[in-house]
Amino acid sequence: MDKKNALRAGAVVAGSTLMMLLMTSPALALTRDDGDDPGPGLSVGETLGLYVAAPIVLFLVIAGLVVVGEKKSHKQHQG
């Protein structure tokens, strides 16, 4: 890719990113919709458990299953 095409691609990406940021105004989130009934907020512990601990545990379980599967597959090919 030559320099001109790289500059054009960068301008397109920067422009589209700027437009997306301008179109999603956080000020609109302050007005409530009719019938909006949010539940109670999450505590710090619940938030950390849901968004930090749960993904880490899921990653470790999936990685463990892959390792066990690879070891079984490797043994079958040798023996």
Side-chain angles (χ1 to χ4, degrees):
M1 183 184 298
D2 61 355
K3 199 175 212 178
K4 189 175 184 180
N5 284 342
L7 287 173
R8 184 179 296 150
V12 169
V13 169
S16 60
T17 303
L18 182 63
M19 288 302 295
M20 285 193 324
L21 287 173
L22 291 174
M23 298 298 272
T24 57
S25 175
L28 296 175
L30 297 176
T31 58
R32 302 295 291 268
D33 292 331
D34 290 336
D36 191 14
D37 188 21
L42 296 175
S43 69
V44 173
E46 290 171 333
T47 303
L48 289 175
L50 185 62
Y51 294 107
V52 176
I56 290 173
V57 168
L58 282 171
F59 173 79
L60 292 175
V61 167
I62 293 170
L65 290 172
V66 169
V67 168
V68 168
E70 285 294 320
K71 285 186 179 181
K72 284 184 180 180
S73 173
H74 192 63
K75 275 187 177 182
Q76 288 177 353
H77 288 294
Q78 282 184 348

Short mmCIF file of all heavy atoms in Angstrom, two decimals:
data_model
loop_
_atom_site.label_atom_id
_atom_site.label_comp_id
_atom_site.label_asym_id
_atom_site.label_seq_id
_atom_site.Cartn_x
_atom_site.Cartn_y
_atom_site.Cartn_z
N MET A 1 0.85 -1.18 0.00
CA MET A 1 0.00 0.00 0.00
C MET A 1 0.90 1.24 0.00
O MET A 1 1.79 1.36 0.81
CB MET A 1 -0.90 -0.02 1.24
CG MET A 1 -1.86 1.12 1.30
SD MET A 1 -2.85 1.21 2.79
CE MET A 1 -3.76 -0.29 2.74
N ASP A 2 0.64 2.12 -0.91
CA ASP A 2 1.48 3.32 -0.95
C ASP A 2 1.01 4.36 0.07
O ASP A 2 0.00 4.19 0.74
CB ASP A 2 1.52 3.90 -2.36
CG ASP A 2 0.14 4.32 -2.85
OD1 ASP A 2 -0.83 4.07 -2.15
OD2 ASP A 2 0.07 4.89 -3.96
N LYS A 3 1.76 5.40 0.16
CA LYS A 3 1.53 6.42 1.20
C LYS A 3 0.17 7.10 1.02
O LYS A 3 -0.53 7.39 2.00
CB LYS A 3 2.65 7.45 1.14
CG LYS A 3 2.81 8.26 2.37
CD LYS A 3 4.03 9.16 2.24
CE LYS A 3 4.65 9.36 3.58
NZ LYS A 3 5.85 10.16 3.54
N LYS A 4 -0.22 7.34 -0.22
CA LYS A 4 -1.48 8.03 -0.49
C LYS A 4 -2.67 7.19 -0.02
O LYS A 4 -3.60 7.71 0.58
CB LYS A 4 -1.58 8.33 -1.99
CG LYS A 4 -2.73 9.21 -2.36
CD LYS A 4 -2.65 9.54 -3.85
CE LYS A 4 -3.74 10.50 -4.24
NZ LYS A 4 -3.69 10.82 -5.66
N ASN A 5 -2.64 5.91 -0.32
CA ASN A 5 -3.73 5.02 0.11
C ASN A 5 -3.76 4.88 1.62
O ASN A 5 -4.83 4.79 2.22
CB ASN A 5 -3.59 3.65 -0.54
CG ASN A 5 -4.02 3.66 -1.99
OD1 ASN A 5 -4.70 4.57 -2.44
ND2 ASN A 5 -3.59 2.64 -2.72
N ALA A 6 -2.60 4.86 2.25
CA ALA A 6 -2.55 4.74 3.71
C ALA A 6 -3.14 5.99 4.36
O ALA A 6 -3.90 5.90 5.34
CB ALA A 6 -1.12 4.53 4.18
N LEU A 7 -2.83 7.16 3.83
CA LEU A 7 -3.39 8.40 4.35
C LEU A 7 -4.90 8.44 4.14
O LEU A 7 -5.65 8.88 5.02
CB LEU A 7 -2.74 9.61 3.69
CG LEU A 7 -1.31 9.91 4.13
CD1 LEU A 7 -0.72 11.03 3.27
CD2 LEU A 7 -1.29 10.30 5.59
N ARG A 8 -5.35 7.98 2.98
CA ARG A 8 -6.79 7.96 2.70
C ARG A 8 -7.50 7.01 3.67
O ARG A 8 -8.56 7.35 4.21
CB ARG A 8 -7.03 7.53 1.26
CG ARG A 8 -8.49 7.58 0.86
CD ARG A 8 -8.68 7.17 -0.58
NE ARG A 8 -8.00 8.13 -1.44
CZ ARG A 8 -7.47 7.82 -2.62
NH1 ARG A 8 -7.52 6.57 -3.06
NH2 ARG A 8 -6.88 8.73 -3.35
N ALA A 9 -6.94 5.84 3.90
CA ALA A 9 -7.56 4.89 4.83
C ALA A 9 -7.58 5.44 6.25
O ALA A 9 -8.58 5.30 6.96
CB ALA A 9 -6.79 3.56 4.79
N GLY A 10 -6.50 6.09 6.66
CA GLY A 10 -6.46 6.69 7.98
C GLY A 10 -7.50 7.79 8.13
O GLY A 10 -8.15 7.91 9.18
N ALA A 11 -7.69 8.60 7.09
CA ALA A 11 -8.69 9.66 7.14
C ALA A 11 -10.10 9.09 7.23
O ALA A 11 -10.95 9.61 7.96
CB ALA A 11 -8.55 10.56 5.92
N VAL A 12 -10.36 8.03 6.49
CA VAL A 12 -11.68 7.40 6.54
C VAL A 12 -11.96 6.83 7.92
O VAL A 12 -13.04 7.01 8.49
CB VAL A 12 -11.80 6.31 5.45
CG1 VAL A 12 -13.04 5.46 5.66
CG2 VAL A 12 -11.81 6.95 4.07
N VAL A 13 -10.98 6.14 8.49
CA VAL A 13 -11.16 5.57 9.83
C VAL A 13 -11.35 6.66 10.87
O VAL A 13 -12.25 6.58 11.72
CB VAL A 13 -9.96 4.66 10.19
CG1 VAL A 13 -10.00 4.27 11.65
CG2 VAL A 13 -9.96 3.42 9.31
N ALA A 14 -10.53 7.70 10.81
CA ALA A 14 -10.66 8.80 11.77
C ALA A 14 -12.00 9.51 11.62
O ALA A 14 -12.66 9.83 12.61
CB ALA A 14 -9.51 9.78 11.59
N GLY A 15 -12.42 9.74 10.41
CA GLY A 15 -13.70 10.41 10.17
C GLY A 15 -14.88 9.59 10.65
O GLY A 15 -15.80 10.11 11.28
N SER A 16 -14.88 8.30 10.35
CA SER A 16 -16.00 7.47 10.79
C SER A 16 -16.02 7.31 12.30
O SER A 16 -17.09 7.29 12.92
CB SER A 16 -15.95 6.10 10.11
OG SER A 16 -14.75 5.43 10.43
N THR A 17 -14.86 7.24 12.93
CA THR A 17 -14.81 7.17 14.39
C THR A 17 -15.34 8.45 15.01
O THR A 17 -16.12 8.41 15.97
CB THR A 17 -13.37 6.92 14.86
OG1 THR A 17 -12.89 5.72 14.27
CG2 THR A 17 -13.30 6.80 16.37
N LEU A 18 -14.96 9.58 14.47
CA LEU A 18 -15.44 10.86 14.98
C LEU A 18 -16.95 10.97 14.81
O LEU A 18 -17.65 11.43 15.73
CB LEU A 18 -14.73 12.00 14.25
CG LEU A 18 -15.09 13.41 14.70
CD1 LEU A 18 -14.68 13.60 16.17
CD2 LEU A 18 -14.41 14.43 13.83
N MET A 19 -17.46 10.55 13.68
CA MET A 19 -18.91 10.62 13.46
C MET A 19 -19.66 9.71 14.44
O MET A 19 -20.72 10.09 14.95
CB MET A 19 -19.25 10.23 12.02
CG MET A 19 -18.86 11.26 11.00
SD MET A 19 -19.60 12.87 11.30
CE MET A 19 -21.31 12.50 11.07
N MET A 20 -19.14 8.52 14.71
CA MET A 20 -19.80 7.63 15.66
C MET A 20 -19.79 8.24 17.05
O MET A 20 -20.78 8.15 17.79
CB MET A 20 -19.13 6.26 15.67
CG MET A 20 -19.45 5.44 14.46
SD MET A 20 -19.01 3.69 14.55
CE MET A 20 -17.52 3.65 15.45
N LEU A 21 -18.69 8.87 17.44
CA LEU A 21 -18.63 9.50 18.76
C LEU A 21 -19.60 10.67 18.86
O LEU A 21 -20.22 10.88 19.91
CB LEU A 21 -17.21 9.98 19.04
CG LEU A 21 -16.20 8.88 19.35
CD1 LEU A 21 -14.80 9.48 19.45
CD2 LEU A 21 -16.55 8.17 20.64
N LEU A 22 -19.76 11.43 17.80
CA LEU A 22 -20.68 12.55 17.83
C LEU A 22 -22.14 12.10 17.82
O LEU A 22 -23.00 12.76 18.41
CB LEU A 22 -20.41 13.48 16.64
CG LEU A 22 -19.10 14.25 16.69
CD1 LEU A 22 -18.89 15.01 15.39
CD2 LEU A 22 -19.08 15.19 17.88
N MET A 23 -22.43 10.99 17.16
CA MET A 23 -23.82 10.54 17.05
C MET A 23 -24.31 9.88 18.34
O MET A 23 -25.51 9.86 18.59
CB MET A 23 -23.96 9.55 15.88
CG MET A 23 -23.63 10.15 14.54
SD MET A 23 -24.70 11.49 14.09
CE MET A 23 -26.00 10.60 13.32
N THR A 24 -23.43 9.33 19.13
CA THR A 24 -23.85 8.67 20.36
C THR A 24 -23.66 9.63 21.52
O THR A 24 -22.66 9.60 22.21
CB THR A 24 -23.03 7.39 20.60
OG1 THR A 24 -21.65 7.76 20.63
CG2 THR A 24 -23.26 6.36 19.52
N SER A 25 -24.63 10.46 21.72
CA SER A 25 -24.55 11.48 22.75
C SER A 25 -24.93 10.91 24.11
O SER A 25 -26.04 10.41 24.29
CB SER A 25 -25.47 12.65 22.40
OG SER A 25 -25.48 13.57 23.45
N PRO A 26 -24.04 10.96 25.09
CA PRO A 26 -24.38 10.43 26.40
C PRO A 26 -25.42 11.28 27.12
O PRO A 26 -26.05 10.83 28.06
CB PRO A 26 -23.05 10.44 27.15
CG PRO A 26 -22.20 11.41 26.44
CD PRO A 26 -22.67 11.43 25.02
N ALA A 27 -25.65 12.52 26.68
CA ALA A 27 -26.65 13.36 27.32
C ALA A 27 -28.05 12.79 27.14
O ALA A 27 -28.94 13.03 27.96
CB ALA A 27 -26.58 14.77 26.75
N LEU A 28 -28.27 12.01 26.09
CA LEU A 28 -29.58 11.42 25.87
C LEU A 28 -29.90 10.34 26.91
O LEU A 28 -31.05 9.99 27.11
CB LEU A 28 -29.68 10.82 24.47
CG LEU A 28 -29.56 11.83 23.33
CD1 LEU A 28 -29.54 11.10 21.99
CD2 LEU A 28 -30.70 12.81 23.37
N ALA A 29 -28.90 9.82 27.57
CA ALA A 29 -29.12 8.78 28.56
C ALA A 29 -29.72 9.33 29.85
O ALA A 29 -30.18 8.58 30.68
CB ALA A 29 -27.81 8.06 28.86
N LEU A 30 -29.72 10.65 30.02
CA LEU A 30 -30.25 11.24 31.24
C LEU A 30 -31.77 11.29 31.25
O LEU A 30 -32.38 11.34 32.29
CB LEU A 30 -29.68 12.65 31.44
CG LEU A 30 -28.17 12.72 31.63
CD1 LEU A 30 -27.73 14.17 31.71
CD2 LEU A 30 -27.76 11.98 32.88
N THR A 31 -32.38 11.29 30.06
CA THR A 31 -33.84 11.33 30.01
C THR A 31 -34.37 9.91 30.10
O THR A 31 -33.88 9.00 29.44
CB THR A 31 -34.32 11.99 28.70
OG1 THR A 31 -33.78 11.25 27.60
CG2 THR A 31 -33.85 13.42 28.62
N ARG A 32 -35.39 9.72 30.91
CA ARG A 32 -35.97 8.39 31.13
C ARG A 32 -37.10 8.15 30.13
O ARG A 32 -37.86 9.05 29.80
CB ARG A 32 -36.51 8.30 32.55
CG ARG A 32 -35.48 8.56 33.64
CD ARG A 32 -34.40 7.51 33.67
NE ARG A 32 -34.87 6.24 34.12
CZ ARG A 32 -34.86 5.84 35.39
NH1 ARG A 32 -34.37 6.61 36.32
NH2 ARG A 32 -35.32 4.67 35.72
N ASP A 33 -37.23 6.95 29.69
CA ASP A 33 -38.31 6.57 28.80
C ASP A 33 -39.55 6.25 29.62
O ASP A 33 -39.47 5.90 30.80
CB ASP A 33 -37.93 5.34 27.98
CG ASP A 33 -36.83 5.63 26.97
OD1 ASP A 33 -36.75 6.78 26.52
OD2 ASP A 33 -36.09 4.70 26.65
N ASP A 34 -40.71 6.36 28.99
CA ASP A 34 -41.95 5.98 29.66
C ASP A 34 -41.93 4.49 29.96
O ASP A 34 -41.58 3.67 29.11
CB ASP A 34 -43.16 6.30 28.78
CG ASP A 34 -43.39 7.79 28.65
OD1 ASP A 34 -42.94 8.52 29.55
OD2 ASP A 34 -44.00 8.20 27.65
N GLY A 35 -42.28 4.12 31.17
CA GLY A 35 -42.31 2.71 31.56
C GLY A 35 -40.95 2.18 31.96
O GLY A 35 -40.80 0.99 32.21
N ASP A 36 -39.94 3.02 31.99
CA ASP A 36 -38.60 2.60 32.38
C ASP A 36 -38.58 2.34 33.88
O ASP A 36 -38.90 3.21 34.68
CB ASP A 36 -37.60 3.69 32.01
CG ASP A 36 -36.17 3.23 32.13
OD1 ASP A 36 -35.94 2.02 32.25
OD2 ASP A 36 -35.28 4.09 32.11
N ASP A 37 -38.23 1.13 34.26
CA ASP A 37 -38.21 0.76 35.68
C ASP A 37 -36.94 -0.03 35.96
O ASP A 37 -36.96 -1.26 36.01
CB ASP A 37 -39.45 -0.06 36.02
CG ASP A 37 -39.58 -0.30 37.51
OD1 ASP A 37 -38.99 0.48 38.29
OD2 ASP A 37 -40.28 -1.25 37.90
N PRO A 38 -35.81 0.66 36.11
CA PRO A 38 -34.55 -0.07 36.34
C PRO A 38 -34.53 -0.73 37.71
O PRO A 38 -35.13 -0.24 38.66
CB PRO A 38 -33.49 1.02 36.25
CG PRO A 38 -34.19 2.27 36.61
CD PRO A 38 -35.61 2.10 36.14
N GLY A 39 -33.87 -1.86 37.77
CA GLY A 39 -33.73 -2.57 39.04
C GLY A 39 -32.65 -1.95 39.89
O GLY A 39 -32.04 -0.94 39.54
N PRO A 40 -32.40 -2.58 41.04
CA PRO A 40 -31.33 -2.06 41.90
C PRO A 40 -29.97 -2.26 41.25
O PRO A 40 -29.76 -3.19 40.47
CB PRO A 40 -31.47 -2.90 43.17
CG PRO A 40 -32.14 -4.16 42.72
CD PRO A 40 -33.04 -3.77 41.60
N GLY A 41 -29.04 -1.38 41.57
CA GLY A 41 -27.69 -1.47 41.00
C GLY A 41 -26.91 -2.62 41.60
O GLY A 41 -27.28 -3.21 42.63
N LEU A 42 -25.82 -2.97 40.96
CA LEU A 42 -24.95 -4.03 41.45
C LEU A 42 -23.99 -3.47 42.48
O LEU A 42 -23.52 -2.34 42.37
CB LEU A 42 -24.15 -4.63 40.30
CG LEU A 42 -24.93 -5.35 39.20
CD1 LEU A 42 -23.98 -5.76 38.09
CD2 LEU A 42 -25.65 -6.54 39.75
N SER A 43 -23.65 -4.29 43.46
CA SER A 43 -22.63 -3.89 44.41
C SER A 43 -21.26 -4.06 43.77
O SER A 43 -21.13 -4.63 42.68
CB SER A 43 -22.72 -4.74 45.68
OG SER A 43 -22.32 -6.06 45.40
N VAL A 44 -20.23 -3.58 44.45
CA VAL A 44 -18.87 -3.71 43.91
C VAL A 44 -18.50 -5.18 43.77
O VAL A 44 -17.92 -5.59 42.76
CB VAL A 44 -17.87 -2.96 44.82
CG1 VAL A 44 -16.44 -3.22 44.36
CG2 VAL A 44 -18.15 -1.48 44.82
N GLY A 45 -18.83 -5.98 44.76
CA GLY A 45 -18.51 -7.41 44.71
C GLY A 45 -19.23 -8.12 43.57
O GLY A 45 -18.64 -8.96 42.87
N GLU A 46 -20.51 -7.78 43.38
CA GLU A 46 -21.26 -8.40 42.28
C GLU A 46 -20.70 -7.98 40.92
O GLU A 46 -20.59 -8.81 40.01
CB GLU A 46 -22.73 -7.99 42.37
CG GLU A 46 -23.46 -8.60 43.55
CD GLU A 46 -24.84 -8.01 43.73
OE1 GLU A 46 -25.06 -6.84 43.34
OE2 GLU A 46 -25.70 -8.72 44.29
N THR A 47 -20.31 -6.72 40.81
CA THR A 47 -19.76 -6.24 39.55
C THR A 47 -18.43 -6.92 39.24
O THR A 47 -18.21 -7.38 38.11
CB THR A 47 -19.56 -4.71 39.62
OG1 THR A 47 -20.80 -4.09 39.91
CG2 THR A 47 -19.03 -4.18 38.31
N LEU A 48 -17.56 -7.01 40.24
CA LEU A 48 -16.27 -7.69 40.02
C LEU A 48 -16.47 -9.17 39.71
O LEU A 48 -15.78 -9.73 38.86
CB LEU A 48 -15.37 -7.50 41.24
CG LEU A 48 -14.82 -6.10 41.45
CD1 LEU A 48 -14.04 -6.03 42.75
CD2 LEU A 48 -13.96 -5.67 40.29
N GLY A 49 -17.39 -9.79 40.40
CA GLY A 49 -17.65 -11.20 40.15
C GLY A 49 -18.18 -11.44 38.75
O GLY A 49 -17.77 -12.39 38.06
N LEU A 50 -19.09 -10.58 38.30
CA LEU A 50 -19.73 -10.76 37.00
C LEU A 50 -18.81 -10.41 35.84
O LEU A 50 -18.78 -11.11 34.82
CB LEU A 50 -21.00 -9.91 36.94
CG LEU A 50 -21.88 -10.06 35.72
CD1 LEU A 50 -22.41 -11.48 35.62
CD2 LEU A 50 -23.04 -9.09 35.80
N TYR A 51 -18.05 -9.34 35.98
CA TYR A 51 -17.27 -8.85 34.85
C TYR A 51 -15.77 -9.15 34.92
O TYR A 51 -15.05 -8.90 33.96
CB TYR A 51 -17.46 -7.34 34.69
CG TYR A 51 -18.88 -6.99 34.31
CD1 TYR A 51 -19.74 -6.41 35.23
CD2 TYR A 51 -19.36 -7.27 33.05
CE1 TYR A 51 -21.05 -6.11 34.89
CE2 TYR A 51 -20.66 -6.97 32.69
CZ TYR A 51 -21.50 -6.39 33.62
OH TYR A 51 -22.78 -6.09 33.27
N VAL A 52 -15.29 -9.68 36.06
CA VAL A 52 -13.88 -10.01 36.18
C VAL A 52 -13.72 -11.50 36.48
O VAL A 52 -13.07 -12.23 35.73
CB VAL A 52 -13.19 -9.15 37.27
CG1 VAL A 52 -11.75 -9.57 37.44
CG2 VAL A 52 -13.27 -7.67 36.91
N ALA A 53 -14.29 -11.96 37.58
CA ALA A 53 -14.07 -13.33 38.02
C ALA A 53 -14.71 -14.36 37.08
O ALA A 53 -14.07 -15.35 36.72
CB ALA A 53 -14.61 -13.52 39.44
N ALA A 54 -15.95 -14.12 36.67
CA ALA A 54 -16.63 -15.09 35.80
C ALA A 54 -15.90 -15.30 34.47
O ALA A 54 -15.69 -16.45 34.06
CB ALA A 54 -18.08 -14.67 35.58
N PRO A 55 -15.47 -14.25 33.76
CA PRO A 55 -14.72 -14.50 32.52
C PRO A 55 -13.39 -15.23 32.75
O PRO A 55 -12.99 -16.07 31.94
CB PRO A 55 -14.47 -13.10 31.96
CG PRO A 55 -15.54 -12.26 32.53
CD PRO A 55 -15.80 -12.82 33.88
N ILE A 56 -12.71 -14.91 33.85
CA ILE A 56 -11.45 -15.60 34.14
C ILE A 56 -11.71 -17.07 34.40
O ILE A 56 -10.99 -17.95 33.89
CB ILE A 56 -10.73 -14.93 35.32
CG1 ILE A 56 -10.21 -13.54 34.91
CG2 ILE A 56 -9.57 -15.79 35.83
CD1 ILE A 56 -9.64 -12.73 36.05
N VAL A 57 -12.74 -17.38 35.18
CA VAL A 57 -13.07 -18.78 35.48
C VAL A 57 -13.45 -19.51 34.20
O VAL A 57 -13.01 -20.64 33.96
CB VAL A 57 -14.19 -18.86 36.54
CG1 VAL A 57 -14.75 -20.26 36.64
CG2 VAL A 57 -13.68 -18.38 37.89
N LEU A 58 -14.28 -18.88 33.36
CA LEU A 58 -14.66 -19.52 32.09
C LEU A 58 -13.44 -19.76 31.20
O LEU A 58 -13.32 -20.82 30.58
CB LEU A 58 -15.66 -18.64 31.35
CG LEU A 58 -17.09 -18.71 31.85
CD1 LEU A 58 -17.95 -17.65 31.17
CD2 LEU A 58 -17.68 -20.08 31.63
N PHE A 59 -12.53 -18.80 31.15
CA PHE A 59 -11.32 -18.98 30.36
C PHE A 59 -10.51 -20.16 30.88
O PHE A 59 -10.03 -20.99 30.10
CB PHE A 59 -10.47 -17.70 30.39
CG PHE A 59 -9.14 -17.88 29.74
CD1 PHE A 59 -9.01 -17.84 28.37
CD2 PHE A 59 -8.00 -18.10 30.51
CE1 PHE A 59 -7.77 -18.00 27.76
CE2 PHE A 59 -6.76 -18.27 29.91
CZ PHE A 59 -6.65 -18.22 28.54
N LEU A 60 -10.35 -20.25 32.21
CA LEU A 60 -9.56 -21.35 32.78
C LEU A 60 -10.22 -22.70 32.53
O LEU A 60 -9.53 -23.69 32.25
CB LEU A 60 -9.34 -21.11 34.27
CG LEU A 60 -8.44 -19.91 34.61
CD1 LEU A 60 -8.40 -19.70 36.12
CD2 LEU A 60 -7.04 -20.12 34.06
N VAL A 61 -11.54 -22.76 32.62
CA VAL A 61 -12.24 -24.03 32.36
C VAL A 61 -12.05 -24.45 30.91
O VAL A 61 -11.73 -25.61 30.62
CB VAL A 61 -13.74 -23.89 32.71
CG1 VAL A 61 -14.54 -25.07 32.17
CG2 VAL A 61 -13.93 -23.79 34.22
N ILE A 62 -12.24 -23.52 29.99
CA ILE A 62 -12.08 -23.85 28.57
C ILE A 62 -10.64 -24.23 28.26
O ILE A 62 -10.38 -25.21 27.54
CB ILE A 62 -12.54 -22.67 27.69
CG1 ILE A 62 -14.05 -22.49 27.83
CG2 ILE A 62 -12.17 -22.89 26.23
CD1 ILE A 62 -14.59 -21.22 27.22
N ALA A 63 -9.68 -23.49 28.80
CA ALA A 63 -8.27 -23.82 28.57
C ALA A 63 -7.94 -25.19 29.15
O ALA A 63 -7.21 -25.98 28.54
CB ALA A 63 -7.37 -22.76 29.19
N GLY A 64 -8.47 -25.50 30.33
CA GLY A 64 -8.24 -26.81 30.93
C GLY A 64 -8.81 -27.93 30.09
O GLY A 64 -8.18 -28.98 29.91
N LEU A 65 -10.01 -27.73 29.55
CA LEU A 65 -10.60 -28.76 28.68
C LEU A 65 -9.78 -28.96 27.41
O LEU A 65 -9.62 -30.09 26.94
CB LEU A 65 -12.04 -28.36 28.33
CG LEU A 65 -13.04 -28.44 29.47
CD1 LEU A 65 -14.38 -27.84 29.04
CD2 LEU A 65 -13.23 -29.86 29.95
N VAL A 66 -9.25 -27.89 26.87
CA VAL A 66 -8.42 -28.00 25.67
C VAL A 66 -7.14 -28.77 25.98
O VAL A 66 -6.73 -29.66 25.22
CB VAL A 66 -8.09 -26.61 25.09
CG1 VAL A 66 -7.01 -26.69 24.03
CG2 VAL A 66 -9.35 -25.97 24.54
N VAL A 67 -6.51 -28.48 27.12
CA VAL A 67 -5.27 -29.16 27.50
C VAL A 67 -5.54 -30.65 27.71
O VAL A 67 -4.77 -31.51 27.24
CB VAL A 67 -4.66 -28.51 28.76
CG1 VAL A 67 -3.56 -29.37 29.33
CG2 VAL A 67 -4.14 -27.13 28.43
N VAL A 68 -6.63 -30.98 28.41
CA VAL A 68 -6.96 -32.39 28.65
C VAL A 68 -7.23 -33.09 27.33
O VAL A 68 -6.77 -34.22 27.10
CB VAL A 68 -8.17 -32.50 29.60
CG1 VAL A 68 -8.72 -33.90 29.63
CG2 VAL A 68 -7.77 -32.05 31.00
N GLY A 69 -7.97 -32.42 26.43
CA GLY A 69 -8.24 -33.02 25.13
C GLY A 69 -6.99 -33.23 24.31
O GLY A 69 -6.84 -34.26 23.64
N GLU A 70 -6.07 -32.30 24.36
CA GLU A 70 -4.81 -32.44 23.62
C GLU A 70 -3.96 -33.57 24.18
O GLU A 70 -3.34 -34.30 23.43
CB GLU A 70 -4.03 -31.13 23.65
CG GLU A 70 -4.59 -30.06 22.75
CD GLU A 70 -4.47 -30.42 21.29
OE1 GLU A 70 -3.44 -30.98 20.89
OE2 GLU A 70 -5.44 -30.15 20.55
N LYS A 71 -3.93 -33.71 25.49
CA LYS A 71 -3.15 -34.79 26.10
C LYS A 71 -3.71 -36.15 25.71
O LYS A 71 -2.96 -37.07 25.38
CB LYS A 71 -3.10 -34.64 27.61
CG LYS A 71 -2.17 -33.55 28.07
CD LYS A 71 -2.03 -33.53 29.57
CE LYS A 71 -1.06 -32.43 29.99
NZ LYS A 71 -0.87 -32.37 31.43
N LYS A 72 -5.04 -36.28 25.72
CA LYS A 72 -5.66 -37.55 25.32
C LYS A 72 -5.39 -37.84 23.85
O LYS A 72 -5.09 -38.96 23.47
CB LYS A 72 -7.16 -37.50 25.59
CG LYS A 72 -7.53 -37.67 27.03
CD LYS A 72 -9.03 -37.72 27.20
CE LYS A 72 -9.40 -37.88 28.66
NZ LYS A 72 -10.85 -37.92 28.86
N SER A 73 -5.50 -36.80 23.02
CA SER A 73 -5.27 -36.96 21.59
C SER A 73 -3.81 -37.33 21.33
O SER A 73 -3.52 -38.18 20.48
CB SER A 73 -5.64 -35.67 20.87
OG SER A 73 -5.28 -35.72 19.52
N HIS A 74 -2.89 -36.71 22.06
CA HIS A 74 -1.48 -36.98 21.88
C HIS A 74 -1.15 -38.41 22.30
O HIS A 74 -0.35 -39.10 21.64
CB HIS A 74 -0.65 -35.97 22.69
CG HIS A 74 0.80 -35.98 22.36
ND1 HIS A 74 1.30 -35.66 21.12
CD2 HIS A 74 1.89 -36.29 23.13
CE1 HIS A 74 2.60 -35.75 21.13
NE2 HIS A 74 3.00 -36.14 22.33
N LYS A 75 -1.76 -38.92 23.38
CA LYS A 75 -1.50 -40.29 23.83
C LYS A 75 -2.02 -41.30 22.82
O LYS A 75 -1.40 -42.32 22.57
CB LYS A 75 -2.19 -40.53 25.18
CG LYS A 75 -1.39 -40.10 26.36
CD LYS A 75 -2.07 -40.54 27.64
CE LYS A 75 -1.24 -40.16 28.85
NZ LYS A 75 -1.86 -40.60 30.10
N GLN A 76 -3.20 -41.02 22.21
CA GLN A 76 -3.78 -41.95 21.26
C GLN A 76 -2.92 -42.05 20.00
O GLN A 76 -2.80 -43.12 19.43
CB GLN A 76 -5.19 -41.51 20.87
CG GLN A 76 -6.20 -41.73 21.98
CD GLN A 76 -7.59 -41.22 21.60
OE1 GLN A 76 -7.76 -40.59 20.56
NE2 GLN A 76 -8.55 -41.49 22.47
N HIS A 77 -2.30 -40.99 19.59
CA HIS A 77 -1.47 -41.02 18.39
C HIS A 77 -0.14 -41.72 18.64
O HIS A 77 0.44 -42.28 17.73
CB HIS A 77 -1.23 -39.60 17.88
CG HIS A 77 -2.43 -39.00 17.25
ND1 HIS A 77 -2.99 -39.47 16.09
CD2 HIS A 77 -3.21 -37.95 17.62
CE1 HIS A 77 -4.04 -38.74 15.78
NE2 HIS A 77 -4.21 -37.81 16.69
N GLN A 78 0.37 -41.70 19.88
CA GLN A 78 1.62 -42.36 20.18
C GLN A 78 1.44 -43.86 20.38
O GLN A 78 2.28 -44.65 20.00
CB GLN A 78 2.25 -41.75 21.44
CG GLN A 78 2.91 -40.44 21.20
CD GLN A 78 3.59 -39.92 22.46
OE1 GLN A 78 3.36 -40.44 23.56
NE2 GLN A 78 4.42 -38.90 22.31
N GLY A 79 0.39 -44.22 21.07
CA GLY A 79 0.23 -45.63 21.44
C GLY A 79 -0.61 -46.38 20.55
O GLY A 79 -0.63 -47.11 19.72
#
